[in-house]
Amino acid sequence: MPGPATDRPLRIAQVAPLFESVPPHGYGGTERVVSYLTEALVEMGHEVTLFASGDSVTNADLVPVVARSLRTDPSRPDWLVWHTMLLDEVFQRAAQFDVMHFHVDFFHYPLARRCATPSLTTLHGRLDLPDLLPLHQHFREHPLVSISDSQRRPMPDLSWLGTVHHGLPPALYALREESQDYFAFVGRISPEKRVDRAIQIAIATGTRLRIAAKVDRADEAYFERDIRPLLGHPLVEFVGEIDQAAKNDFIGHARALLFPIDWPEPFGLVMIEAMACGTPVLAWRCGSVPEVVDEGVTGFVVDDMQQATAAARETRRIDRRRCRQVFETRFSARQMAGRYLALYRRLIQARQTNPGLEAATESPL
């Protein structure tokens, strides 16, 4: 008979979205985090099953629900159809696991409510949208994990097990103690990411800006109307979407990463990717930014364009070795996995002690 959940390896299901592979070939924050978490748990000796697209690469047991990631399939599959089949596959196998960890928003809540296997959900998106509050209140008993304290402020009274910041494998990025004279912007071209602010900062400081970003179909009109006209400036270089290997050099050689967001960013994985390279972060005071960036140590947090321009001129004084040290202390994949393991064990123990109760939640923020 298996021992208590506190002293044995766990059988864990990781349930990823199907939009990108795990890890993604290009942009894809949620799937990238699921990959880092999964691989760290396997390295720590746990039995992990990853439900994901068939083009995923993992040391866990892969259950390929669809042959390839939905975004890369030219036939444009119906995402709802494939995620419905994903959840059916997961819950058919639920008895095989000690705990199931979902990263697919809220689609599984009705099934999880009726399942004996403990489960929890990491919410990766923004929570200030109006319809999310009544939905989560309806399923308020479901255990949730936030990726920043800021993320959960719109809904503080739900069943929050804790906050777990994202983490990266330390070997994935190399420290660059010397930088080249350019700023980097990495992510998506969308109104809330504000690449236009990054361009303004570059022009104001006379510094090159290199933009590595994808344009989703939903943002194509915005890109053509508002951003493409700005790309003709001699200081601005648009690189397009890049893969993981290219990102290491692209971010690592930059003088600073510009993160001029205009929305309540739940975490912002690229900020800790920059720190792992030793590259300082210049970011707007939105969402999780003040939780992630240590002012004057790993970068600068600003409130307006005047502050941003002044801070951009000071980025060279940030100690790049210290940036890397902070990353290793706060944001490694193993640390992330350890925090999740503590939540898994607490959830399992609570279910074993009283099958009708979930694990104790944190006090509201």
Side-chain angles (χ1 to χ4, degrees):
M1 180 177 178
T6 55
D7 62 5
R8 63 176 173 85
L10 298 180
R11 300 168 301 164
I12 305 164
Q14 293 291 336
V15 185
L18 303 176
F19 300 109
E20 305 283 352
S21 61
V22 177
H25 299 295
Y27 186 88
T30 297
E31 293 86 355
R32 195 173 301 284
V33 171
V34 173
S35 176
Y36 300 152
L37 173 60
T38 296
E39 302 312 305
L41 290 169
V42 171
E43 289 174 6
M44 295 165 78
H46 299 278
E47 183 181 329
V48 185
T49 300
L50 173 64
F51 294 83
S53 63
D55 50 351
S56 299
V57 178
T58 181
N59 289 311
D61 293 326
L62 176 64
V63 178
V65 179
V66 63
R68 61 187 293 183
S69 55
L70 299 182
R71 190 174 74 90
T72 63
D73 190 330
S75 69
R76 299 190 181 184
D78 186 326
W79 69 270
L80 188 56
V81 167
W82 288 99
H83 283 86
T84 299
M85 289 191 282
L86 164 69
L87 296 182
D88 184 62
E89 187 74 31
V90 171
F91 282 95
Q92 281 192 47
R93 300 175 183 234
Q96 302 172 15
F97 307 115
D98 296 308
V99 64
M100 300 186 297
H101 188 171
F102 290 91
H103 304 267
V104 291
D105 288 331
F106 49 78
F107 302 106
H108 57 289
Y109 288 178
L111 295 170
R113 174 179 272 178
R114 294 161 174 82
C115 181
T117 302
S119 64
L120 71 162
T121 299
T122 295
L123 296 175
H124 290 265
R126 65 189 299 174
L127 301 181
D128 59 339
L129 306 178
D131 289 335
L132 290 181
L133 181 58
L135 181 138
H136 282 93
Q137 287 177 332
H138 183 79
F139 294 101
R140 64 180 311 120
E141 80 283 356
H142 185 77
L144 301 173
V145 179
S146 51
I147 58 177
S148 66
D149 291 338
S150 169
Q151 181 195 30
R152 63 163 102 165
R153 288 196 178 109
M155 297 189 292
D157 299 325
L158 302 182
S159 295
W160 296 107
L161 287 177
T163 290
V164 179
H165 289 152
H166 291 335
L168 308 174
L172 196 63
Y173 290 94
L175 169 65
R176 268 65 170 199
E177 295 192 33
E178 300 294 332
S179 68
Q180 298 176 15
D181 193 22
Y182 70 88
F183 295 135
F185 177 97
V186 178
R188 283 186 293 116
I189 302 293
S190 60
E192 68 273 13
K193 297 291 187 176
R194 295 302 301 266
V195 69
D196 58 314
R197 284 177 171 171
I199 293 171
Q200 291 176 48
I201 293 168
I203 294 172
T205 59
T207 306
R208 281 196 306 143
L209 173 67
R210 304 185 69 205
I211 302 170
K214 73 169 183 175
V215 182
D216 285 336
R217 294 189 188 102
D219 297 312
E220 286 175 355
Y222 164 75
F223 174 74
E224 295 295 335
R225 183 188 66 245
D226 295 337
I227 302 303
R228 187 180 290 280
L230 305 178
L231 301 181
H233 195 282
L235 287 173
V236 178
E237 177 188 1
F238 182 68
V239 177
E241 189 173 2
I242 59 176
D243 61 18
Q244 180 62 54
K247 194 186 294 186
N248 200 338
D249 286 337
F250 186 88
I251 297 176
H253 290 146
R255 197 169 104 194
L257 174 80
L258 303 187
F259 196 68
I261 57 170
D262 193 17
W263 73 298
E265 175 78 64
F267 186 81
L269 189 64
V270 71
M271 291 190 287
I272 64 173
E273 291 176 326
M275 293 176 199
C277 297
T279 300
V281 178
L282 195 165
W284 250 251
R285 194 183 308 278
C286 292
S288 64
V289 165
E291 292 178 50
V292 178
V293 178
D294 292 328
E295 177 69 27
V297 179
T298 57
F300 300 101
V301 181
V302 302
D303 297 293
D304 55 39
M305 188 60 63
Q306 182 178 358
Q307 291 180 9
T309 302
R313 295 189 173 101
E314 297 295 318
T315 51
R316 288 195 186 280
R317 69 179 179 85
I318 296 291
D319 186 336
R320 296 176 71 93
R321 287 173 296 181
R322 179 63 177 146
C323 281
R324 173 71 186 196
Q325 290 169 358
V326 171
F327 158 75
E328 292 176 351
T329 301
R330 298 183 57 198
F331 298 116
S332 75
R334 192 174 184 90
Q335 288 167 324
M336 172 178 63
R339 295 184 184 108
Y340 274 120
L341 277 170
L343 300 183
Y344 298 162
R345 295 189 190 281
R346 179 150 57 94
L347 190 62
I348 295 166
Q349 187 64 40
R351 183 65 65 89
Q352 291 175 341
T353 302
N354 190 332
L357 295 177
E358 298 290 357
T361 58
E362 294 184 335
S363 299
L365 292 177

